[in-house]
Amino acid sequence: MEIVICPDAVQAGRLGADAITTLIRRKPDGVLGLATGSSPLGIYDELARRHEAGELSFANARGFTLDEYVGLATEHPETYHNVIRKDFVNRVDFADGAVRGPDGLSDDIPAFCRSYEEAIAAAGGIDLQILGIGTDGHIGFNEPGSSLASRTRIKTLTKQTRIDNARFFGGDIDQVPTHCITQGLGTIMAARHVVLVASGHGKAEAVHQLAEGSVSAMWPGTILQHHPHVTVLLDEAAASRLQLSDYYRETYHAKPAWQGL
């Protein structure tokens, strides 16, 4: 796990975009795992800027979103199907149907979850998975207590997650769905490269546990300590609880340029 402490969230977004740019230029039909929420917005903004400048094309790329609320109407602005298109997909040149996501209105959710896993496998697996992290350490919607080997499935959201997400629903927690479909921790671990981005003091404890705590279902993101290629991009506030922050800075500044992220 590589910890990169940036002066601000803008720089973290640029570095995340650099990793995706490198992938797509090397492998134009690369497969991206796409997260929603506020954490990856800096990455998406920078990728959209590069596309508009003619520097990058996603015409042959594919994507799979991490999760989706269960029960929200198709036209609801906060379905992750709609959010990822507003924040990223419709700002670049993905082909129609190239980005897929969980179906929160499926009549047979277990069968859908199996088919989603099969679709990811049929695409050759995810080359680069973008992640945020919740204040309680969840990645995707894998809440505390999730199986570390879990695959795509339905989950019940914790009250804390619903409180955190109420800002997207006019501040009304009762409007936040209680269930979701999420890629599992085992699914996320199968990605070849994971880029996790976090900003703000509210994420500092989760980041500390992620990088320096024990691997535990109580802090689901800690499973990433077992992944061979994880890049964690932080602003100063999110890094404020790290005990080895000086070492992480020294390591990043001393790394060979050819190594990349």
Side-chain angles (χ1 to χ4, degrees), residues 7-159:
D8 53 38
V10 173
Q11 179 62 17
R14 289 188 185 126
L15 288 177
D18 286 346
I20 294 170
T21 299
T22 298
L23 167 66
I24 297 301
R25 287 178 177 167
R26 173 178 59 82
K27 185 181 180 182
D29 62 347
V31 181
L32 300 175
L34 300 174
T36 51
S38 56
S39 295
L41 287 178
I43 295 176
Y44 298 149
D45 287 345
E46 179 61 17
L47 290 172
R49 186 199 66 76
R50 294 179 190 187
H51 170 69
E52 290 167 6
E55 301 170 5
L56 189 61
S57 172
F58 294 87
N60 296 309
R62 293 158 292 168
F64 291 88
T65 56
L66 260 179
D67 40 36
E68 181 60 273
Y69 291 116
V70 169
L72 282 188
T74 302
E75 65 274 12
H76 196 291
E78 295 305 324
T79 67
Y80 287 151
H81 174 90
N82 292 329
V83 169
I84 196 63
R85 279 155 181 78
K86 172 177 64 71
D87 289 346
F88 180 44
V89 174
N90 291 347
R91 300 169 68 190
V92 296
D93 60 340
F94 280 106
D96 289 344
V99 175
R100 298 182 57 176
D103 181 1
L105 296 174
S106 172
D107 291 331
D108 188 339
I109 287 177
F112 173 81
C113 292
R114 290 191 295 271
S115 71
Y116 200 62
E117 289 279 336
E118 291 165 1
I120 292 172
I126 291 173
D127 292 302
L128 189 152
Q129 175 68 62
I130 303 169
L131 292 178
I133 189 167
T135 57
D136 60 2
H138 72 251
I139 54 175
F141 271 137
N142 294 282
E143 300 283 28
S146 291
S147 165
L148 300 182
S150 54
R151 309 301 295 201
T152 301
R153 69 214 186 284
I154 189 170
K155 286 291 292 181
T156 302
L157 300 177
T158 64
K159 184 176 181 180

Side-chain angles (χ1 to χ4, degrees), residues 160-244:
Q160 184 60 56
T161 295
R162 295 177 69 230
I163 290 171
D164 290 345
N165 286 7
R167 68 188 188 277
F168 300 116
F169 293 82
D172 184 358
I173 188 175
D174 291 332
Q175 297 301 311
V176 183
T178 57
H179 291 88
C180 66
I181 297 173
T182 184
Q183 289 185 31
L185 295 173
T187 313
I188 291 168
M189 288 290 287
R192 286 177 273 279
H193 183 192
V194 173
V195 174
L196 186 149
V197 60
S199 62
H201 287 286
K203 301 295 179 73
E205 180 61 26
V207 166
H208 165 58
Q209 295 293 335
L210 167 75
E212 298 172 340
S214 300
V215 175
S216 167
M218 287 300 295
W219 292 92
T222 58
I223 188 61
L224 294 176
Q225 292 180 30
H226 287 297
H227 194 285
H229 190 188
V230 176
T231 305
V232 179
L233 304 173
L234 308 171
D235 68 1
E236 294 283 355
S240 61
R241 280 276 290 115
L242 292 173
Q243 294 174 275
L244 299 175

